[in-house]
Amino acid sequence: MLRALAVDDERPSLEELLYLLNADPRIGSAEGAGDATEALRRINRALQSGPGGPEAIDVVFLDIQMPGLDGLDLARLLSGFAKPPHIVFVTAHEDFAVQAFDLEAVDYVLKPVRKERLAEAVRRAAELTGNTPRIRVHEPDPDQIPVELGGVTRFVAVDDITHVEAQGDYARLHTDKGSHLVRIPLSTLEDRWRTRGFVRIHRRHLVALRHVGELRLDAGTVSVLVGGEELQVSRRHARELRDLLMRRP
């Protein structure tokens, strides 16, 4: 059973989060804190108590934008401890996802919080804590990739993706209808989608050959027009790309 601490400066949001946590059978106890300073004091007691102690906390469900010390500041402080609790960010803002996962967050849940989405975050935390066995699941659909938008998980067809842009350990998937950030390195997608017509053209870009509209040569530089954007092709990838495009049906 997980021991949880929920941190949010907005009382209604905190009470709703605590209600949902207490309704989850994997949560043994859930406490609330109204700001990051109060949470830090409570976590200090937990760390002094030790992992098996009566004051221990396994996971912190943490809002980001709070007055004074914000959620990201608190997570940075906790990262300096030897065995800090796991962090799940719960926020109304999508903009901090990359920073959150750089701080090794277990999950990033968007408000308004849905019961099913929070349950997935609890499952991940429980698995990392060792409080639940790993469960065999069906293999993901190779024709789709799950993305989260506004707290809802949607599935993007791989065939609709025009190109992929590296953003650290994450990747931004571009389609004609918009873009989506996923927590998957570009190199992983390159290996996974090589047989689906995706090719590396630059250390930052992976493109779908089917969506390449033009190959451009200008003063010794090579670029491609894909998804309405002109992307530079590095010298090491230029010849392979030209050969693949020439053989394209």
Side-chain angles (χ1 to χ4, degrees):
M1 302 289 282
L2 288 175
R3 296 154 295 187
L5 176 67
V7 188
D8 198 313
D9 64 305
E10 296 180 356
R11 193 69 194 177
S13 295
L14 179 60
E15 290 176 352
E16 175 68 12
L17 182 55
L18 287 170
Y19 172 79
L20 292 174
L21 288 172
N22 283 310
D24 193 305
R26 293 163 297 192
I27 299 293
S29 63
E31 303 175 49
D35 57 49
T37 302
E38 179 185 352
L40 184 58
R41 287 196 293 266
R42 177 63 186 87
I43 293 167
N44 273 326
R45 294 204 310 273
L47 294 173
Q48 291 170 7
S49 176
E55 298 279 353
I57 293 173
D58 299 307
V59 56
V60 180
F61 293 83
L62 182 59
D63 189 20
I64 289 183
Q65 290 198 325
M66 295 182 288
L69 193 70
D70 68 20
L72 292 172
D73 292 332
L74 177 58
R76 291 188 188 99
L77 287 173
L78 294 180
S79 67
F81 291 96
K83 293 184 178 180
H86 296 298
I87 299 291
V88 173
F89 285 102
V90 183
T91 176
H93 305 278
E94 297 182 359
D95 303 342
F96 304 103
V98 171
Q99 296 175 62
F101 287 123
D102 281 343
L103 290 167
E104 299 185 355
V106 172
D107 209 342
Y108 192 89
V109 179
L110 292 174
K111 297 178 182 179
V113 179
R114 294 182 298 114
K115 179 181 178 180
E116 298 81 4
R117 183 64 185 86
L118 185 64
E120 171 61 15
V122 172
R123 183 196 67 77
R124 294 179 183 181
E127 190 172 273
L128 289 171
T129 307
N131 289 342
T132 186
R134 289 187 177 269
I135 300 172
R136 179 179 293 276
V137 297
H138 294 294
E139 289 296 319
D141 186 344
D143 294 327
Q144 296 181 321
I145 182 169
V147 300
E148 186 170 312
L149 182 63
V152 176
T153 300
R154 294 191 172 96
F155 295 88
V156 174
V158 174
D159 287 347
D160 290 340
I161 298 170
T162 59
H163 60 289
V164 187
E165 178 184 2
Q167 293 192 347
D169 291 331
Y170 316 94
R172 184 166 293 280
L173 312 177
H174 293 267
T175 71
D176 289 338
K177 296 180 180 178
S179 67
H180 310 277
L181 189 68
V182 293
R183 193 184 180 188
I184 306 175
L186 190 68
S187 58
T188 299
L189 293 178
E190 180 183 10
D191 292 338
R192 185 183 299 176
W193 291 345
R194 183 176 288 111
T195 59
R196 301 184 65 94
F198 283 81
V199 60
R200 191 73 163 259
I201 65 166
H202 190 274
R203 63 183 178 82
R204 290 192 57 211
H205 291 112
L206 189 68
V207 301
L209 292 175
R210 70 179 69 85
H211 290 291
V212 175
E214 295 179 9
L215 178 67
R216 298 176 175 178
L217 295 146
D218 182 18
T221 63
V222 181
S223 62
V224 290
L225 187 66
V226 56
E229 292 188 47
E230 185 174 359
L231 304 176
Q232 184 179 354
V233 181
S234 67
R235 291 184 178 181
R236 61 177 295 202
H237 295 108
R239 173 170 288 184
E240 178 189 8
L241 178 63
R242 285 198 301 267
D243 291 343
L244 289 170
L245 289 174
M246 290 298 291
R247 296 198 303 266
R248 184 177 64 174

